[in-house]
Amino acid sequence: MTWDQDPPPGARRGYHHGNLREALMKAALELIAAKGPAGFTFAEAARAAGVSPAAPYRHYRDRDSLMADVARRAFELFAAKLSQAWAKGTPDPFKAFERVGHAYIAFARAEPAQYSAMFESGLSFQAFPDLHVAGDRAFNVLRDACAALIATMPEGKRPPVMMMALHIWAEAHGIASLFARGDEARRPIPMSPEDLLDAAVLIYLDGLGVRKAG
């Protein structure tokens, strides 16, 4: 996590002009890690940030708006990680596609609080359209990767891009959520989550007729 701010004297995390929003977001992530995304109040977030109960209203109307901001930024980081892994499909779309799956798992492992904020907060996309946009940006990396793989197939045998993207997303998300997350909710399995995902994707792609050359 890279949201740290230097606390002022006399406060655990403290507030001075310009860093209240960052302090609240950092406090929210710590509370998510300890109690889950629904396990704390707005007042608790303020207390954890070392500010008065009224201070958060400078930036947020309520707890949900704070959570939406945390989730939005998490999605932005997630999208950047997936995009970096995809690297425009180099050196070939199959290797790049595998990297995207591994990046999905790595994020769940390395950032469990942000992962929970993104997917377990129960926030409405209608109420927080910026959150919806950020989530779509991350999903679009996966969709573009699927489109590149589909383009390697013969015309007339290409599945719908959105269908394939949703199927792959479900596989990656299920494996990451069950077996790869970096908190105590992770379930043990006799293989790495990456190997499990690679096998599941290989079986899926083979069923569609998507085969790597050689």
Side-chain angles (χ1 to χ4, degrees), residues 143-167:
R143 188 179 64 181
D144 290 346
C146 288
L149 279 185
I150 289 171
T152 67
M153 300 175 65
E155 291 188 21
K157 295 185 178 181
R158 296 175 180 176
V161 172
M162 181 59 75
M163 181 196 78
M164 179 176 168
L166 291 173
H167 287 169

mmCIF file of all heavy atoms in Angstrom, residues 143-167:
data_model
loop_
_atom_site.group_PDB
_atom_site.id
_atom_site.type_symbol
_atom_site.label_atom_id
_atom_site.label_comp_id
_atom_site.label_asym_id
_atom_site.label_seq_id
_atom_site.Cartn_x
_atom_site.Cartn_y
_atom_site.Cartn_z
ATOM 1 N N ARG A 143 -10.953 -7.574 -21.139
ATOM 2 C CA ARG A 143 -11.723 -7.700 -22.377
ATOM 3 C C ARG A 143 -10.830 -7.525 -23.601
ATOM 4 O O ARG A 143 -10.951 -8.279 -24.585
ATOM 5 C CB ARG A 143 -12.859 -6.682 -22.398
ATOM 6 C CG ARG A 143 -13.830 -6.883 -23.566
ATOM 7 C CD ARG A 143 -14.936 -5.875 -23.532
ATOM 8 N NE ARG A 143 -14.451 -4.518 -23.712
ATOM 9 C CZ ARG A 143 -15.230 -3.433 -23.704
ATOM 10 N NH1 ARG A 143 -16.530 -3.551 -23.508
ATOM 11 N NH2 ARG A 143 -14.714 -2.229 -23.878
ATOM 12 N N ASP A 144 -9.922 -6.570 -23.553
ATOM 13 C CA ASP A 144 -9.001 -6.368 -24.682
ATOM 14 C C ASP A 144 -8.105 -7.585 -24.882
ATOM 15 O O ASP A 144 -7.792 -7.955 -26.018
ATOM 16 C CB ASP A 144 -8.147 -5.122 -24.442
ATOM 17 C CG ASP A 144 -8.949 -3.827 -24.533
ATOM 18 O OD1 ASP A 144 -10.082 -3.871 -25.033
ATOM 19 O OD2 ASP A 144 -8.431 -2.787 -24.088
ATOM 20 N N ALA A 145 -7.682 -8.192 -23.777
ATOM 21 C CA ALA A 145 -6.850 -9.388 -23.878
ATOM 22 C C ALA A 145 -7.626 -10.530 -24.525
ATOM 23 O O ALA A 145 -7.094 -11.269 -25.368
ATOM 24 C CB ALA A 145 -6.349 -9.792 -22.494
ATOM 25 N N CYS A 146 -8.891 -10.672 -24.151
ATOM 26 C CA CYS A 146 -9.727 -11.706 -24.765
ATOM 27 C C CYS A 146 -9.922 -11.431 -26.255
ATOM 28 O O CYS A 146 -9.879 -12.353 -27.081
ATOM 29 C CB CYS A 146 -11.082 -11.765 -24.063
ATOM 30 S SG CYS A 146 -11.020 -12.481 -22.394
ATOM 31 N N ALA A 147 -10.122 -10.180 -26.603
ATOM 32 C CA ALA A 147 -10.298 -9.817 -28.010
ATOM 33 C C ALA A 147 -9.062 -10.179 -28.823
ATOM 34 O O ALA A 147 -9.169 -10.654 -29.968
ATOM 35 C CB ALA A 147 -10.603 -8.326 -28.127
ATOM 36 N N ALA A 148 -7.884 -9.985 -28.249
ATOM 37 C CA ALA A 148 -6.651 -10.308 -28.967
ATOM 38 C C ALA A 148 -6.523 -11.808 -29.185
ATOM 39 O O ALA A 148 -6.067 -12.259 -30.249
ATOM 40 C CB ALA A 148 -5.448 -9.775 -28.192
ATOM 41 N N LEU A 149 -6.917 -12.600 -28.196
ATOM 42 C CA LEU A 149 -6.870 -14.050 -28.373
ATOM 43 C C LEU A 149 -7.888 -14.512 -29.418
ATOM 44 O O LEU A 149 -7.585 -15.361 -30.265
ATOM 45 C CB LEU A 149 -7.147 -14.753 -27.045
ATOM 46 C CG LEU A 149 -5.993 -14.872 -26.056
ATOM 47 C CD1 LEU A 149 -6.419 -15.711 -24.861
ATOM 48 C CD2 LEU A 149 -4.760 -15.477 -26.700
ATOM 49 N N ILE A 150 -9.077 -13.955 -29.339
ATOM 50 C CA ILE A 150 -10.127 -14.333 -30.289
ATOM 51 C C ILE A 150 -9.712 -14.003 -31.716
ATOM 52 O O ILE A 150 -10.036 -14.741 -32.659
ATOM 53 C CB ILE A 150 -11.451 -13.645 -29.912
ATOM 54 C CG1 ILE A 150 -12.009 -14.270 -28.623
ATOM 55 C CG2 ILE A 150 -12.477 -13.752 -31.034
ATOM 56 C CD1 ILE A 150 -13.196 -13.530 -28.036
ATOM 57 N N ALA A 151 -8.971 -12.935 -31.886
ATOM 58 C CA ALA A 151 -8.529 -12.534 -33.226
ATOM 59 C C ALA A 151 -7.592 -13.555 -33.851
ATOM 60 O O ALA A 151 -7.389 -13.544 -35.070
ATOM 61 C CB ALA A 151 -7.846 -11.169 -33.160
ATOM 62 N N THR A 152 -7.011 -14.450 -33.034
ATOM 63 C CA THR A 152 -6.132 -15.481 -33.581
ATOM 64 C C THR A 152 -6.923 -16.673 -34.121
ATOM 65 O O THR A 152 -6.341 -17.562 -34.756
ATOM 66 C CB THR A 152 -5.148 -16.002 -32.511
ATOM 67 O OG1 THR A 152 -5.859 -16.725 -31.489
ATOM 68 C CG2 THR A 152 -4.382 -14.853 -31.873
ATOM 69 N N MET A 153 -8.219 -16.703 -33.884
ATOM 70 C CA MET A 153 -9.063 -17.819 -34.305
ATOM 71 C C MET A 153 -9.569 -17.605 -35.734
ATOM 72 O O MET A 153 -9.659 -16.460 -36.203
ATOM 73 C CB MET A 153 -10.254 -17.971 -33.351
ATOM 74 C CG MET A 153 -9.870 -18.246 -31.916
ATOM 75 S SD MET A 153 -11.325 -18.267 -30.834
ATOM 76 C CE MET A 153 -12.183 -19.720 -31.497
ATOM 77 N N PRO A 154 -9.933 -18.683 -36.423
ATOM 78 C CA PRO A 154 -10.498 -18.534 -37.767
ATOM 79 C C PRO A 154 -11.821 -17.783 -37.729
ATOM 80 O O PRO A 154 -12.600 -17.935 -36.782
ATOM 81 C CB PRO A 154 -10.712 -19.983 -38.223
ATOM 82 C CG PRO A 154 -9.830 -20.807 -37.349
ATOM 83 C CD PRO A 154 -9.766 -20.093 -36.039
ATOM 84 N N GLU A 155 -12.052 -16.964 -38.712
ATOM 85 C CA GLU A 155 -13.340 -16.269 -38.793
ATOM 86 C C GLU A 155 -14.460 -17.299 -38.893
ATOM 87 O O GLU A 155 -14.324 -18.341 -39.515
ATOM 88 C CB GLU A 155 -13.360 -15.346 -40.014
ATOM 89 C CG GLU A 155 -12.429 -14.154 -39.890
ATOM 90 C CD GLU A 155 -12.618 -13.172 -41.034
ATOM 91 O OE1 GLU A 155 -13.688 -13.205 -41.668
ATOM 92 O OE2 GLU A 155 -11.693 -12.385 -41.296
ATOM 93 N N GLY A 156 -15.562 -16.984 -38.280
ATOM 94 C CA GLY A 156 -16.688 -17.902 -38.235
ATOM 95 C C GLY A 156 -16.671 -18.804 -37.022
ATOM 96 O O GLY A 156 -17.666 -19.462 -36.718
ATOM 97 N N LYS A 157 -15.543 -18.854 -36.311
ATOM 98 C CA LYS A 157 -15.440 -19.672 -35.109
ATOM 99 C C LYS A 157 -15.064 -18.838 -33.891
ATOM 100 O O LYS A 157 -14.632 -19.385 -32.869
ATOM 101 C CB LYS A 157 -14.408 -20.780 -35.315
ATOM 102 C CG LYS A 157 -14.796 -21.787 -36.386
ATOM 103 C CD LYS A 157 -13.790 -22.922 -36.457
ATOM 104 C CE LYS A 157 -14.216 -23.958 -37.492
ATOM 105 N NZ LYS A 157 -13.256 -25.096 -37.574
ATOM 106 N N ARG A 158 -15.233 -17.546 -34.017
ATOM 107 C CA ARG A 158 -14.833 -16.651 -32.932
ATOM 108 C C ARG A 158 -15.999 -16.410 -31.978
ATOM 109 O O ARG A 158 -17.058 -15.950 -32.405
ATOM 110 C CB ARG A 158 -14.350 -15.324 -33.510
ATOM 111 C CG ARG A 158 -13.094 -15.478 -34.354
ATOM 112 C CD ARG A 158 -12.697 -14.173 -35.019
ATOM 113 N NE ARG A 158 -11.484 -14.335 -35.826
ATOM 114 C CZ ARG A 158 -10.953 -13.390 -36.585
ATOM 115 N NH1 ARG A 158 -11.546 -12.194 -36.655
ATOM 116 N NH2 ARG A 158 -9.856 -13.634 -37.275
ATOM 117 N N PRO A 159 -15.835 -16.686 -30.687
ATOM 118 C CA PRO A 159 -16.904 -16.439 -29.720
ATOM 119 C C PRO A 159 -17.047 -14.950 -29.447
ATOM 120 O O PRO A 159 -16.125 -14.167 -29.736
ATOM 121 C CB PRO A 159 -16.418 -17.180 -28.474
ATOM 122 C CG PRO A 159 -14.935 -17.134 -28.579
ATOM 123 C CD PRO A 159 -14.630 -17.248 -30.053
ATOM 124 N N PRO A 160 -18.160 -14.512 -28.889
ATOM 125 C CA PRO A 160 -18.311 -13.103 -28.529
ATOM 126 C C PRO A 160 -17.268 -12.684 -27.487
ATOM 127 O O PRO A 160 -17.021 -13.411 -26.523
ATOM 128 C CB PRO A 160 -19.725 -13.041 -27.937
ATOM 129 C CG PRO A 160 -20.428 -14.230 -28.485
ATOM 130 C CD PRO A 160 -19.387 -15.290 -28.630
ATOM 131 N N VAL A 161 -16.675 -11.538 -27.706
ATOM 132 C CA VAL A 161 -15.620 -11.063 -26.802
ATOM 133 C C VAL A 161 -16.147 -10.905 -25.380
ATOM 134 O O VAL A 161 -15.499 -11.348 -24.419
ATOM 135 C CB VAL A 161 -15.038 -9.735 -27.316
ATOM 136 C CG1 VAL A 161 -14.077 -9.136 -26.287
ATOM 137 C CG2 VAL A 161 -14.317 -9.932 -28.641
ATOM 138 N N MET A 162 -17.324 -10.305 -25.245
ATOM 139 C CA MET A 162 -17.845 -10.069 -23.906
ATOM 140 C C MET A 162 -18.125 -11.376 -23.179
ATOM 141 O O MET A 162 -17.847 -11.511 -21.981
ATOM 142 C CB MET A 162 -19.115 -9.220 -23.971
ATOM 143 C CG MET A 162 -19.721 -8.910 -22.601
ATOM 144 S SD MET A 162 -18.594 -8.015 -21.484
ATOM 145 C CE MET A 162 -18.650 -6.377 -22.214
ATOM 146 N N MET A 163 -18.652 -12.353 -23.883
ATOM 147 C CA MET A 163 -18.915 -13.642 -23.250
ATOM 148 C C MET A 163 -17.622 -14.250 -22.713
ATOM 149 O O MET A 163 -17.553 -14.689 -21.554
ATOM 150 C CB MET A 163 -19.556 -14.601 -24.252
ATOM 151 C CG MET A 163 -19.885 -15.977 -23.670
ATOM 152 S SD MET A 163 -20.199 -17.244 -24.935
ATOM 153 C CE MET A 163 -18.506 -17.633 -25.455
ATOM 154 N N MET A 164 -16.598 -14.270 -23.546
ATOM 155 C CA MET A 164 -15.332 -14.850 -23.113
ATOM 156 C C MET A 164 -14.730 -14.060 -21.959
ATOM 157 O O MET A 164 -14.220 -14.637 -20.989
ATOM 158 C CB MET A 164 -14.351 -14.893 -24.283
ATOM 159 C CG MET A 164 -12.995 -15.476 -23.911
ATOM 160 S SD MET A 164 -11.923 -15.610 -25.362
ATOM 161 C CE MET A 164 -10.353 -15.943 -24.557
ATOM 162 N N ALA A 165 -14.796 -12.743 -22.029
ATOM 163 C CA ALA A 165 -14.238 -11.910 -20.965
ATOM 164 C C ALA A 165 -14.940 -12.169 -19.638
ATOM 165 O O ALA A 165 -14.296 -12.252 -18.588
ATOM 166 C CB ALA A 165 -14.337 -10.433 -21.337
ATOM 167 N N LEU A 166 -16.251 -12.320 -19.663
ATOM 168 C CA LEU A 166 -16.997 -12.587 -18.437
ATOM 169 C C LEU A 166 -16.660 -13.965 -17.874
ATOM 170 O O LEU A 166 -16.532 -14.144 -16.656
ATOM 171 C CB LEU A 166 -18.497 -12.466 -18.693
ATOM 172 C CG LEU A 166 -19.007 -11.049 -18.979
ATOM 173 C CD1 LEU A 166 -20.480 -11.085 -19.375
ATOM 174 C CD2 LEU A 166 -18.800 -10.140 -17.774
ATOM 175 N N HIS A 167 -16.501 -14.955 -18.756
ATOM 176 C CA HIS A 167 -16.136 -16.292 -18.297
ATOM 177 C C HIS A 167 -14.750 -16.297 -17.648
ATOM 178 O O HIS A 167 -14.552 -16.869 -16.570
ATOM 179 C CB HIS A 167 -16.161 -17.273 -19.465
ATOM 180 C CG HIS A 167 -17.538 -17.616 -19.933
ATOM 181 N ND1 HIS A 167 -17.776 -18.305 -21.114
ATOM 182 C CD2 HIS A 167 -18.764 -17.369 -19.396
ATOM 183 C CE1 HIS A 167 -19.079 -18.468 -21.265
ATOM 184 N NE2 HIS A 167 -19.694 -17.907 -20.248
#
